[in-house]
Amino acid sequence: MLRKPLDYIFPSPPEGLNPESLVVEAVPRHVAVIMDGNGRWAKKRALNRLNGHKAGIEAVRETIRCANDVGVDYLTIYSFSSENWKRPLEEVSGLMNLFATTMLAEVDGLHEEGVRVMTIGHAEGLPDKTRAAFQEAWDKTKDNTGMTLVIAVNYGGRTEIVDAARALVERSVAAVRAGEEPPEVTEGEFERFLYTSRIPDPDVILRTSGEMRVSNFLLWQGAYSEFVSVDALWPDFDRYELLRALLEFQRRDRRFGAV
């Protein structure tokens, strides 16, 4: 359900793009985004990669505002994977500082909009400053009832699945030791131990920069997500690129394995 009028959300659409063609009832409940292309954006401008990440912050702001306004209930952004630690130390350190400063600068505005901020991934592996910023955002916004912004940081889909399997085994062993019947291993029971246990699966996964990989992102949850590849590099992604992606999602026929 729209949280603001379409002409407010999309005030100056480019020629050929009609916001009124967005079917409000078909807006996906959960949008997940693989933000790709910051490095290439910087390279094209003879800048270092961190400048690309800084430029991408405005795209993050724009996407959050627009997704919230058009009625998306959950927006998950892939900000830092468990594999990204392999990048140069200067880039990783800069990213961690950027996460902390941006989160602290944005949380009050998000709170005013009713957005709830949470993270998924191994937060304990983050620098203290970064972890504290995300914790502060959660503490301030956890009771909000608007869109939930899920930040995947130090996150890996395979690790999440292994963590869930380990937790399920530990619960079963504890039940046996207590003389109880262990829980039946079903998809539903397994999902209870995922980081996203109280979050619906993404309806659509967007990836910018024209790439077609899932990159270890929401491997379990994305089993039946629609995949939309956007040519724009992440710093160039704006509300109209998001609108195009939503319109593309509307054209898909989701059958979930049926005919």
Side-chain angles (χ1 to χ4, degrees):
M1 183 174 181
L2 288 175
R3 296 186 175 99
K4 291 180 182 174
L6 280 173
D7 58 354
Y8 175 90
I9 304 170
F10 305 107
S12 304
E15 186 176 354
L17 184 63
N18 181 14
E20 295 294 334
S21 61
L22 181 68
V23 179
V24 174
E25 295 78 11
V27 170
R29 188 179 183 202
H30 183 176
V31 174
V33 183
I34 302 173
M35 305 178 293
D36 195 14
N38 290 337
R40 274 167 283 173
W41 184 93
K43 185 176 181 180
K44 285 172 64 175
R45 291 158 177 79
L47 302 170
N48 66 37
R49 291 176 59 85
L50 190 56
N51 287 114
H53 295 304
K54 290 177 179 177
I57 292 298
E58 182 52 40
V60 173
R61 292 192 186 102
E62 177 98 339
T63 301
I64 293 170
R65 285 195 297 263
C66 185
N68 185 40
D69 290 346
V70 299
V72 171
D73 289 328
Y74 296 86
L75 173 67
T76 300
I77 58 174
Y78 200 11
S79 61
F80 192 86
S81 77
S82 52
E83 290 81 21
N84 287 158
W85 296 106
K86 301 172 186 175
R87 294 184 176 186
L89 179 60
E90 181 182 3
E91 181 180 353
V92 171
S93 298
L95 272 170
M96 291 299 152
N97 287 327
L98 188 61
F99 292 154
T101 56
T102 301
M103 192 74 267
L104 293 174
E106 299 293 328
V107 64
D108 287 341
L110 293 171
H111 185 45
E112 289 175 7
E113 291 289 325
V115 174
R116 183 175 66 148
V117 181
M118 62 178 291
T119 62
I120 56 174
H122 280 205
E124 69 278 5
L126 301 174
D128 292 345
K129 179 181 177 182
T130 307
R131 186 171 65 252
F134 285 129
Q135 184 62 49
E136 180 176 331
W138 167 250
D139 291 339
K140 183 181 285 284
T141 66
K142 63 184 177 182
D143 296 323
N144 289 344
T145 57
M147 185 181 78
T148 297
L149 172 63
V150 185
I151 303 172
V153 58
N154 198 17
Y155 171 87
R158 287 180 174 180
T159 298
E160 179 181 20
I161 291 170
V162 170
D163 285 348
R166 183 183 295 113
L168 181 56
V169 169
E170 289 173 352
R171 175 173 173 174
S172 298
V173 170
V176 171
R177 287 176 175 169
E180 301 170 357
E181 191 72 22
E184 182 182 1
V185 179
T186 63
E187 288 187 11
E189 185 66 22
F190 183 82
E191 286 174 347
R192 292 181 58 200
F193 296 95
L194 294 172
Y195 308 154
T196 57
S197 60
R198 292 177 293 279
I199 298 172
D201 291 341
D203 300 290
V204 57
I205 297 176
L206 314 179
R207 182 166 189 151
T208 56
S209 82
E211 299 291 347
M212 302 291 286
R213 300 183 301 279
V214 295
S215 294
N216 200 18
F217 182 51
L218 300 178
L219 298 180
W220 177 281
Q221 299 88 337
Y224 275 101
S225 302
E226 296 297 318
F227 191 88
V228 176
S229 178
V230 179
D231 288 335
L233 302 176
W234 178 249
D236 296 325
F237 189 84
D238 61 13
R239 63 187 56 233
Y240 299 106
E241 292 290 349
L242 179 59
L243 175 58
R244 289 187 181 95
L246 295 177
L247 293 175
E248 171 61 27
F249 171 77
Q250 280 186 185
R251 291 190 284 269
R252 303 290 178 86
D253 180 18
R254 304 185 76 198
R255 297 186 299 273
F256 298 96
V259 177

